[in-house]
Amino acid sequence: MKTGQKPTFDFFRSLLSSNMVVPLLVIVLLFMTLSCNKKNNSIPSVAEVYEILNKQDFGNLILPITSVTPSANTDDLAAILPFLSDKLIVALGESTHGTSEFFTLRHRMIQYMVKQLNFRVLAIEANFSAVEAINDYIHGGPGTAKNAVENIKQSWVYNNLEFLQLIEWLREYNNGQSVVNKVSFYGFDAQHCEPSSKRVQSYISQYAPSYLTVFDTTAKHFLNDFEEYFATYTNDQLLKILPKSVADFQSRWSKVSTYFQNNKADLIAKSGDRAYDLALRHWEIVRQTFSRFIYVEDELKTFNHRDTSMADNVDWIKKFENNKKIILWAHAGHSGSDNSTTTQMGYHLKQRHQANYFSVGFFTDGGTVRVIHEVNGTPVLGEYKIDPKSEHVITQAFVKGNWLQFFLPMSAISGKPELKNLFSKSWKIYFIGSDIEKTTVEQNLGTAYDAIVFLNKTTATKP
C-alpha cells in the first residue's frame, strides 16, 4: 500500500496474512525513500567513489569472503572472529529476503559462531509461537524439517532448500551435545494470534482443563486470527471497527492473564516454571499482535510498534535462555540500528545493549531474487531479475574495484576520515522485502550497521 492511500481490505488482512512475511516492510522502504529529498543534490559518481576507496586502501581494510558454501573451509571466517567474539547479540540482516547466497553464507557463519564463539540461540523474523515447532525438531522431535518450517504461516521466505539445510544441521549438531550446549531456536515476531493462542490453549488443556471452556470462549477471536471480522465487514467498516475493538480484545486478553496470575503457584507446581513462563509469552504475543490494530491508518506507527515488540521479544528470549549469546536473522530493515525514518528493532537493541549488540547488513549489486512480483497483472511468487543499477553508486564502486565478496567492519574505517565521511552518506542500494513494489532505498551504511557483507552477484533461493 502506498503512503497516503486509504487502507484496503487486503491491507488489514496483510497484518495477519499467510502470504506476506513483512507486509509493512514496504512501508518502511517508502519512508526511507522519502528521506532522499533531504539529501544534498551533489551525488558523487561511481568513478569518484572508487577513487576515494582506492586511495584510502579499501582493499586492505575489507576481509575477503572466499566461499558462501556452508561446508567450505572456514579460514576466511577466522579473520571475522575478533569482531564478533565479545558480542552478546549479533544480527545478520539481509537486504533481500529471497537471496540464496545470504542464506548459505549465514548458515556458514552460524556454524562457525556456534562452534567457535559459543552462540547458543538463533532467532528469526517469524512468529514467536509458530517457530516453536522448529525448536522441537532440532532438539530431536518427530517429523521433518519441512513439516516444522511449514508451521510458519508466512513460510515462503523460509520454505526453501537453503533454510532446510540449516535446520537439518542444527538438529545434527544438537544430537551430539549435552543439554546445556544445545542450540535453541526462536521467532521474535508477533504477526499472528492463532499459533500463540493455540499454544496457550494446549497448555491450559494439559494443566488446567477445568478452565478450558472459559478460555475458548474468551479467546475466540484470537484462536482464528479474527476471521469473523474479515469475513463480515467491508474495508470502510474495518477502518472504524478494528481500532475500537482493541479495547474488547484487551479486556479478553486481561481476563486470561488474570487467571494465570491468580493461579500461578498451582500452574507452576503442575507444569514447572519454564513452561508457565513460556505460556505467558505466547499470550503476550497475542497482545502485541492485536495492539497494532490501533494504528491501521498510520503505517509508520504500525511499523514502529512491531519493531518495538520484536526488540522486547529478543530481550525476553535472551533472559529466558539465561543470557546465552544469540544470533538474530531478519531483514536489514529491522536489524539495522538507524532511526532516521523509523525506529527499528536494531535501534532499540543498540540503545539497550550498546557495544554488546552488533548488526551486520548483507547487500548485493544484482542477480536474481525470489520475491512476489506481478506477471501479466497477477502477483506471483518466483524468481525475479535485479540488474546492477548505475544509481547504486556505492555497490557499483565496489564492483569497479573488483571488491566482489567481503566483510567490512565499520571500525576498520574509523581512523580514516575520508572513508568514514563516505560511509556516513546515504546511498541508493537494493533493499527488497516480501514484494517487488520497492527495490531501491537509501541506506546510511556507516550509521545503520556495525559491519556490512557485500556479495556481487546473487541468485534466488531454491523452493
Side-chain angles (χ1 to χ4, degrees), residues 14 17 27 46 49 95 103 152 165 184 198 231 233 238 253 299-300 333 343 352 356 371 376 392 394 459:
S14 75
S17 171
I27 294 164
V46 172
V49 172
S95 58
F103 274 78
I152 307 174
Q165 288 173 340
S184 294
K198 285 187 174 178
Y233 300 111
L238 285 171
W253 183 88
E299 302 104 326
L300 183 57
T343 306
R352 299 173 190 178
N356 287 319
V371 68
N376 297 324
H392 294 173
I394 192 73
T459 58

Side-chain angles (χ1 to χ4, degrees), residues 70-132:
S71 59
N73 181 287
T74 58
D75 288 349
D76 57 326
L77 296 184
I80 297 173
L81 184 149
F83 301 99
L84 307 179
S85 60
D86 63 338
K87 307 306 177 186
L88 300 181
I89 306 174
V90 173
L92 306 177
E94 74 268 24
S95 58
T96 66
H97 276 313
T99 295
S100 177
E101 290 77 8
F102 291 168
F103 274 78
T104 57
L105 178 56
R106 278 187 296 192
H107 180 169
R108 185 169 178 246
M109 292 178 68
I110 288 166
Q111 288 181 171
Y112 192 78
M113 293 166 72
V114 167
K115 290 179 178 179
Q116 302 296 328
L117 302 180
N118 201 37
F119 281 83
R120 287 296 179 268
V121 181
L122 174 59
I124 67 172
E125 182 195 332
N127 183 271
F128 176 90
S129 306
V131 169
E132 192 168 351

Side-chain angles (χ1 to χ4, degrees), residues 317-463:
I317 292 166
K318 197 165 189 318
K319 182 178 179 181
F320 188 69
E321 287 292 333
N322 300 312
N323 292 313
K324 292 177 182 177
K325 296 168 75 172
I326 183 170
I327 302 168
L328 305 182
W329 175 311
H331 195 283
H334 297 298
S335 59
S337 54
D338 189 19
N339 76 328
S340 58
T341 52
T342 59
T343 306
Q344 298 167 289
M345 174 189 71
Y347 175 80
H348 292 294
L349 293 174
K350 178 67 80 173
Q351 293 301 302
R352 299 173 190 178
H353 300 281
Q354 299 296 315
N356 287 319
Y357 179 74
F358 194 88
S359 176
V360 184
F362 286 58
F363 299 94
T364 184
D365 190 50
T368 59
V369 62
R370 194 173 185 222
V371 68
I372 296 172
H373 58 283
E374 285 194 2
V375 177
N376 297 324
T378 302
V380 172
L381 171 61
E383 187 173 304
Y384 185 87
K385 190 176 182 182
I386 50 174
D387 292 318
K389 292 184 177 182
S390 58
E391 64 179 337
H392 294 173
V393 173
I394 192 73
T395 56
Q396 287 283 288
F398 294 157
V399 174
K400 183 175 177 62
N402 205 35
W403 304 304
L404 304 180
Q405 197 163 277
F406 63 81
F407 177 97
L408 172 68
M410 289 304 161
S411 58
I413 64 173
S414 60
K416 292 180 173 288
E418 198 167 358
L419 278 183
K420 190 173 181 180
N421 179 62
L422 188 71
F423 279 88
S424 295
K425 297 180 182 296
S426 293
W427 299 100
K428 290 183 178 181
I429 202 162
Y430 273 123
F431 213 69
I432 304 170
S434 57
D435 65 44
I436 208 69
E437 182 175 355
K438 194 71 186 175
T439 61
T440 294
V441 301
E442 294 202 3
Q443 285 278 280
N444 187 318
L445 302 176
T447 300
Y449 309 100
D450 297 295
I452 61 168
V453 165
F454 176 70
L455 305 178
N456 179 31
K457 296 295 182 184
T458 54
T459 58
T461 50
K462 304 171 186 64

Side-chain angles (χ1 to χ4, degrees), residues 137-262:
Y137 176 76
I138 69 170
H139 283 86
T144 66
K146 188 173 186 295
N147 294 149
V149 171
E150 286 174 346
N151 274 275
I152 307 174
K153 278 193 171 184
Q154 64 276 35
S155 64
W156 79 256
V157 166
Y158 303 104
N159 192 3
N160 56 63
L161 178 63
E162 295 87 346
F163 189 68
L164 293 180
Q165 288 173 340
L166 171 63
I167 301 305
E168 292 291 13
W169 180 83
L170 288 168
R171 181 181 170 101
E172 180 182 348
Y173 178 84
N174 279 346
N175 187 47
Q177 300 298 318
S178 64
V179 173
V180 70
N181 279 326
K182 291 181 185 294
V183 178
S184 294
F185 199 102
Y186 288 88
F188 53 78
D189 208 348
Q191 289 182 286
H192 303 277
C193 286
E194 181 181 350
S196 305
S197 54
K198 285 187 174 178
R199 286 283 181 174
V200 178
Q201 184 187 54
S202 177
Y203 177 91
I204 291 171
S205 178
Q206 185 172 358
Y207 301 112
S210 62
Y211 183 66
L212 185 59
T213 300
V214 175
F215 173 81
D216 287 348
T217 301
T218 306
K220 63 179 183 178
H221 300 306
F222 311 141
L223 287 165
N224 66 4
D225 269 339
F226 311 95
E227 183 62 37
E228 66 275 23
Y229 278 78
F230 298 118
T232 304
Y233 300 111
T234 66
N235 294 335
D236 289 340
Q237 290 171 328
L238 285 171
L239 273 173
K240 298 176 181 178
I241 289 171
L242 282 178
K244 292 179 180 178
S245 297
V246 170
D248 175 56
F249 301 153
Q250 178 67 41
S251 175
R252 290 172 177 272
W253 183 88
S254 296
K255 288 177 181 177
V256 176
S257 295
T258 299
Y259 173 83
F260 268 85
Q261 294 302 321
N262 289 345

